[in-house]
Structures are given as C-alpha cells and as structure tokens.
Amino acid sequence: MTDTDYRIHGDTGAWEVVIGLEVHAQVTSNAKLFSGAATAFGAEPNTQVSLVDAAMPGMLPVPNRECIRQAVRTGMAIDAQINKWSRFDRKNYFYADLPQGYQISQLYHPLVGEGAIDISLDDKNPDASGKRIGVERIHVEQDAGKLMHDQHPTRSYVDLNRSGVALMEIVSRPDMRSPAEAGAYLRKLRAILRYVGSCDGNMEEGSMRADVNVSVRKPGDELGTRTETKNVNSVRFVMAVVEQEARRQVAVLEQGGAIVQETRLYDPDRNETRSMRSKEDAHDYRYFPDPDLLPLELDDAFLDECRGSLPELPDAKRKRYETAGISAYQAAVLTAEVEAARWFDALLETGTKPVAAANWTTSELFGALNRTGKDIEHSPVSPAQAAELLGLVADGTLSGSLAKQVFEVMLETGESPARIVEERGLKQTSDTGAIDAVIAEIMAANADKVADYRGGKDKLFGFFVGQTMKAMGGKANPAVVNELLKTALG
C-alpha cells in the first residue's frame, strides 16, 4: 500500500495535497427518513411533501426502519463498526428551503463508526497499486428542500419534494493524496452502494454528491487549513476540484497569503472554485439531542438480518473471477458495475467456461454496447443467447469470424444463434474434400508463391491460409485449413 507521487509544483518547490470526501448518498427506500412521503425523482414541485416534511405544528417524526437498515448494511459492506446505540441531533440553521429551521442529523453518536474502502489505481494490477482509505463514520440525516430561481423574474420559489429525504453521509478520513485517488475512492464507494442496493448512485439526479475537502502542505508538515467545495456531482468534477483548489491554495500561500477555512462552490464552465461562505464549526449550529426522537437501539436479530442480506461485494467477486482464470484486468472491468457483474454471473451459471466467457463479454459484447449506446441492462443479447453462441464456437460449429457475423445479426434481430446459423447457412465446414479442392485451386493460381514458400519463405503460409478462408467465405474450419495446407505445401 503506497501513496502516489502526485505533487503540485510551485515556485517554492513541491506541495502535497490532502483530500477527504464527505459523500451524501440518498438511501434507497420506500419513503422519507421520518415520513411516508414518496421520493421519486422528477416529480412536480411540492407533490411529495407530508405534513412532517413541511414542519406543520404538532407533527412528530418517526424513523423509517428501511432507511436505518440500508445504512447499517452499507456500514457492514465496508467492515465498519456498527453502533447498537445511536442518537439523532438537531443541527440549527435558517434557510428558506429548511421549513423546520433545523436539520435532523447525527453528530455525536452516529449509526456507523470506523470502516475502510480499498481502492486501486491500476485495473491491470489492482493489488499492487492498492490503497486503503479510512472511513470515519456514516450517519443518517434528512435532506433539505430546494430553491428554484428560474421560475419568476424577481422571486425564488421553494420545492420541498426533497425535504426529509433520507441521506447517508459517508465521511472519509483525509487519506487521499491525488485527484486519481479521490476519483478511485468515489467510484469504488459508488460501486459498493449499488451492489448493496442502499443507493442508486445516480450522481446526475443528485442521489449521490460529494463535498470535497482539500488542503495543501509541504511534504511531512502538519496538515494545512482546508476548504470544503460543496455538492460536486460527478467523479470527473471531484477530480477537477482537487486539482484546481490545490493549485489555488498553493498560489495563495506562495504569495504570502493564508488559506481561510470556508465553503466553496465549483463552476464547471470555468473550471474553478469560488468562495460561498465562511466555514461554520459545530458550535455555530447549536447541536443538541432531538427531543422528539428516542435513541436508536439495534438488537442482534436485526443486525444478523442485515448481514445475511448482503450480496457478494465487488472485491470478493473480482477474486472469485480471478481464481477461475480470468485476468485481473477483465475481472476489474466485469465487477466495476453491478449490472455487468450480474449479467456475467448469469452467463457463468449456464456452464460456459469462464475465460472464454470473459474474453467474449469484455471485447465483443461491451464493444457492441458502446458502439450502439446501450447499457448492459438493455442488451439485445441475453446471457442464455451468449452461452448458446459460445457453445457453437466451442463445439466447432462456428469459427471466430463466423461467430462475429452471427453476433451482429443477433444484435439486430434478437434471434437465437442456432436459428441464425441454420437460416443463413453460416455453419463452419470441416469437409476435407471441399477444403482440399479450394487449396488446389489457390496453389495452381499462385505457383510462384508456392515455389517461394518451398524455397524457405515460411511467412507466405499466412497468405495461403487467408486465401483459402476468403475463398470459402470464412466458413472453413481454421484448424483443418492449417493442417491440409501444411500437407499440400509440403
């Protein structure tokens, strides 16, 4: 486990970057954290708001068991400490989209304690390039609403649809040292959340966003003053924030200035961060235990159910694939997204050999999906159809080139490989008589090359293979062609 050598080089030498991420992940659940209101994305403004979410007088919050369960399962997936006793606190501040005048969160006693996430910067050698990033805590809290500034020329409107939506705040330790590490951490965390099913990870829809904490220091010095860039909604933007904010801080320090602890915003159009407000400390929010909510007390039966419901996670799945002979790179590609891993597992369950399945999936299938702009969930080829195609290659019915032709037809029509082979006459032939006849014609038409080959120009063998395959429309069995050509050419 080693740090990267990433440095910002200024006029006074090299600077080290220190990064921590606070990721807000919307919990996949049937309702909000303390009410039964729906949470569907894209609904008309203020159509998914209960009396609790709107903070009407006399309304009392009731914790959603599923939200707590999903947060606990997430903690277990990163081998974190699960706190059987936790408590909700009120974080007090005034904003127009916060109808209560406070946010219910967890500061002093979070649901989930310390854990870790292993990242890799090199898919071809994930273990050698690995690093462990500490997770300080995961706590659950309610989201605020949203101000809409584009609905009226002089007024801002409030949409409370997100008010009360359940969030997991996943707080890393400041263990990352480069934009690449921050990007790898966020991708890995997103993959784990999607495997567990506790968050859909859709950053474009706001169901996962990151607050990026950045500071710089001379290597070996004490930690510098950090800034926090809020609500960054893509891996690429997180990496850009680290780069740009670190360079800004180095420039300020080298000009004799000081870094102010503050909250900043990222402008992707200008690729720069801008000051938003001075950074508040915990005492500024006047945290105190929420008097309307009893502490959460989890029993062993609940924890056992949470642990028993966890799926095979990305690292374990990758190791299983590698044990089956699949390369580290292919295993990393196949496990990066949960849908791809599920599709591939379904292919393996048909009995298809793992290495052949991995080679075909990562090259032919993924290549075709990229070309057509489809994701694996909308693949026109099912795992069962893929298994049938690979089976036809394995038993000699199809050559590699014929399999490519059949696959293209499958993509267009959705028909089964066997039917395509039968209807279009694409079956590979091992008929030695037919192949011998073609070889004889090619040798007669290229007597000079036959003489050159027999005179020692061995590389011409490929020419004869190519001509024979071309003459037979790619349907000849390549192994049989090779054997018969060796005999014929002497």
Side-chain angles (χ1 to χ4, degrees), residues 61 64 122 176 343:
N64 181 339
D122 181 2
M176 290 161 273
W343 193 98

mmCIF file of all heavy atoms in Angstrom, residues 61 64 122 176 343:
data_model
loop_
_atom_site.group_PDB
_atom_site.id
_atom_site.type_symbol
_atom_site.label_atom_id
_atom_site.label_comp_id
_atom_site.label_asym_id
_atom_site.label_seq_id
_atom_site.Cartn_x
_atom_site.Cartn_y
_atom_site.Cartn_z
ATOM 1 N N PRO A 61 -41.719 13.307 14.079
ATOM 2 C CA PRO A 61 -41.026 12.380 13.174
ATOM 3 C C PRO A 61 -41.040 10.954 13.722
ATOM 4 O O PRO A 61 -40.999 10.742 14.935
ATOM 5 C CB PRO A 61 -39.599 12.930 13.137
ATOM 6 C CG PRO A 61 -39.433 13.593 14.470
ATOM 7 C CD PRO A 61 -40.776 14.154 14.834
ATOM 8 N N ASN A 64 -37.857 5.766 9.717
ATOM 9 C CA ASN A 64 -38.164 4.748 8.714
ATOM 10 C C ASN A 64 -37.190 3.590 8.900
ATOM 11 O O ASN A 64 -35.978 3.738 8.709
ATOM 12 C CB ASN A 64 -38.035 5.371 7.318
ATOM 13 C CG ASN A 64 -38.364 4.397 6.190
ATOM 14 O OD1 ASN A 64 -38.314 3.182 6.367
ATOM 15 N ND2 ASN A 64 -38.678 4.936 5.030
ATOM 16 N N ASP A 122 -4.799 0.969 -10.710
ATOM 17 C CA ASP A 122 -4.393 0.236 -11.911
ATOM 18 C C ASP A 122 -5.200 -1.049 -11.996
ATOM 19 O O ASP A 122 -4.956 -1.997 -11.264
ATOM 20 C CB ASP A 122 -2.894 -0.083 -11.859
ATOM 21 C CG ASP A 122 -2.398 -0.831 -13.096
ATOM 22 O OD1 ASP A 122 -3.214 -1.071 -14.026
ATOM 23 O OD2 ASP A 122 -1.202 -1.169 -13.143
ATOM 24 N N MET A 176 -6.540 10.575 1.146
ATOM 25 C CA MET A 176 -6.272 10.634 -0.295
ATOM 26 C C MET A 176 -5.265 11.726 -0.603
ATOM 27 O O MET A 176 -5.255 12.771 0.047
ATOM 28 C CB MET A 176 -7.579 10.847 -1.060
ATOM 29 C CG MET A 176 -8.486 9.616 -1.008
ATOM 30 S SD MET A 176 -10.215 9.979 -1.403
ATOM 31 C CE MET A 176 -10.854 10.446 0.212
ATOM 32 N N TRP A 343 -25.034 -9.769 -15.030
ATOM 33 C CA TRP A 343 -25.184 -10.353 -16.365
ATOM 34 C C TRP A 343 -24.135 -11.446 -16.575
ATOM 35 O O TRP A 343 -24.459 -12.538 -17.063
ATOM 36 C CB TRP A 343 -25.012 -9.253 -17.421
ATOM 37 C CG TRP A 343 -25.451 -9.637 -18.815
ATOM 38 C CD1 TRP A 343 -26.643 -9.356 -19.407
ATOM 39 C CD2 TRP A 343 -24.690 -10.375 -19.778
ATOM 40 N NE1 TRP A 343 -26.682 -9.873 -20.686
ATOM 41 C CE2 TRP A 343 -25.484 -10.512 -20.944
ATOM 42 C CE3 TRP A 343 -23.419 -10.940 -19.770
ATOM 43 C CZ2 TRP A 343 -25.056 -11.178 -22.079
ATOM 44 C CZ3 TRP A 343 -22.979 -11.623 -20.904
ATOM 45 C CH2 TRP A 343 -23.797 -11.734 -22.041
#
